[in-house]
Structures are given as structure tokens and as C-alpha cells.
Amino acid sequence: MERHHRDSIIVATLAFAGGTLFAGIIVLGHATLFELITGATGYGWAAVAATLTVGYAANKIAINSGKLKLQDAHLQRMREFHTDTARWTKLRSGVNACRFAYHAAEIMVGKSHDLFRRRPTTVYTYRRILIQFRKALPEARLAHTDVIVSDELHIQLEALDVLIIAVVVGVEEYLALYPAPGSPANRHAQQEFVTLVRTCRNIRDLAAEVGVKIDALRPREPKPL
């Protein structure tokens, strides 16, 4: 682009010089070229000066017009960059939420509890953890992103959406089946809780893999032309 712009300036300058000489000869057709150069014809120099002024102005207009076109093109690329960045950020935030939903539940129960090995013993704790899952997970619309992704990545985003829906629906059903927060957790309540936790862990693992691919799609700011 820079080389093309430089060549255009050179061509315009040569055209300007040739046009100036040609115009001067037409205006001073009765004078010899030697007289024109040596200043033997006074009014010829005035005509040449006028032609030079017009040619210089035309050359400047052509150069400035080229610069304005380059600036407009760069501004358009910057607008597209900001739009693409906003779309990418929205998708990346949703995937990050999938990754951290599981960790948020772990932090909530504290270091004294493991979501699998040292399970809580009351429905109250189960409900708190599942409600945390539901709040932390994003809306199941990751596959509807405006970011251009590969077919493989799109399938993975659809899989995340399915898992998110499964957890949200499962949590709602769990809360409806076990409404008494203070009651002891029976075996059935524990099994359903573990199933939902495993689904959330699958979401976390898949989101970690998807996040790496999305990072590679981050828009790059265009350089000035």
C-alpha cells in the first residue's frame, strides 16, 4: 500500500512537470525554448508561473485526497476491529463463566469439604451448592455467537449449551424434590447431587479446552495504512 501510494505521487509529479512545460509552450508558441528558459520573453515567465501554481495546487489536492482515502480506510478497519473485539469478549466471558462455576462452588463450601470425597450431610448444603452453579453458569446461547468459528468449535459450543441446560433444569428439579433445607440428605438426594456436580465438572473441562481455541481467535488491532 505504501509503495503504491509513493508511485502515485511520482506519477502525479511527472505528469505535473510535463503538463507545465507543454502548457508553457502553447502559451508562448511564438517564443523559442531558449528564450523561454533564459527569460527573453517576460510575459512567458508570468504564464509559466501561473501554470506552475495551478499544477502545484492540483498535485497537492491529489496527494491530500490519497491521504484522506487511506485515513478513511483505516477508520473503517478500526470500527470493524472494535465490533469484532466486543463479540469475542462476550463469547470469552461466557466460556470463562463455565470454567469458574465449579470453582466457585468449591470456594463456597470451603477447604474442609470436597464436592465428591467429603460430601455435605444436609440438603441445605446441597441446595446452596446447586444454586451457586445455577447463578454462575452463563445463558445457554454460546453457540449463537457472532464470532466466526470452525465447525469443530461450533459443535463444542453447542455441547456446552446442552450441558448448561441440563444443569439448570436439574437444579430446578432438585430444589423442587428436596424443599426442606434442614432435613438430612438421604441416599437418593446424594446421588442426584453427585450427578449434577459431575455435569458441572464436565462443563469446566470442556470450557477449558474451548477457551484455548477462542483465545486464538482474538482480533488483532490493524496497523495504520
Side-chain angles (χ1 to χ4, degrees):
M1 180 62 71
E2 292 180 356
R3 181 179 179 182
H4 178 72
H5 184 54
R6 183 177 65 253
D7 293 343
S8 300
I9 294 176
I10 293 174
V11 171
T13 303
L14 292 176
F16 148 70
T20 299
L21 180 59
F22 182 72
I25 293 174
I26 291 177
V27 173
L28 308 174
H30 65 283
T32 63
L33 181 61
F34 176 77
E35 291 175 335
L36 179 65
I37 296 174
T38 57
T41 308
Y43 63 85
W45 281 113
V48 170
T51 307
L52 282 170
T53 302
V54 174
Y56 177 77
N59 192 34
K60 288 291 290 182
I61 291 174
I63 293 174
N64 291 335
S65 177
K67 290 181 178 179
L68 288 175
K69 289 181 179 179
L70 291 177
Q71 291 175 357
D72 290 342
H74 180 64
L75 289 175
Q76 179 61 30
R77 293 175 64 192
M78 287 299 297
R79 284 192 290 266
E80 294 174 354
F81 165 71
H82 290 305
T83 299
D84 293 341
T85 300
R87 293 170 176 173
W88 179 87
T89 302
K90 180 180 179 181
L91 177 60
R92 192 67 178 89
S93 298
V95 174
N96 281 342
C98 292
R99 291 181 58 191
F100 295 120
Y102 187 87
H103 297 306
E106 287 183 318
I107 293 172
M108 186 186 69
V109 299
K111 295 182 179 180
S112 61
H113 290 93
D114 183 273
L115 293 181
F116 289 102
R117 296 177 183 176
R118 298 184 61 184
R119 299 166 189 160
T121 57
T122 64
V123 172
Y124 171 75
T125 305
Y126 286 157
R127 287 170 59 93
R128 286 182 60 226
I129 294 172
L130 295 179
I131 290 173
Q132 177 62 36
F133 282 148
R134 184 182 60 183
K135 289 181 178 179
L137 288 173
E139 185 180 1
R141 292 184 56 84
L142 297 175
H144 296 274
T145 178
D146 292 323
V147 178
I148 299 177
V149 299
S150 64
D151 292 340
E152 179 184 0
L153 182 52
H154 188 266
I155 292 174
Q156 290 179 313
L157 291 173
E158 287 182 333
L160 279 174
D161 286 340
V162 171
L163 291 173
I164 291 171
I165 293 173
V167 170
V168 172
V169 173
V171 170
E172 294 296 334
E173 292 178 350
Y174 190 94
L175 297 178
L177 285 173
Y178 306 102
S183 61
N186 57 37
R187 184 176 179 182
H188 184 65
Q190 290 178 347
Q191 289 176 345
E192 290 197 15
F193 171 79
V194 170
T195 299
L196 289 171
V197 170
R198 284 175 178 167
T199 305
C200 283
R201 188 174 61 178
N202 292 337
I203 291 175
R204 178 201 63 183
D205 296 342
L206 180 56
E209 180 181 349
V210 169
V212 174
K213 297 179 180 179
I214 293 177
D215 286 341
L217 300 176
R218 183 170 188 169
R220 298 290 184 263
E221 183 174 355
K223 297 181 180 179
L225 299 175

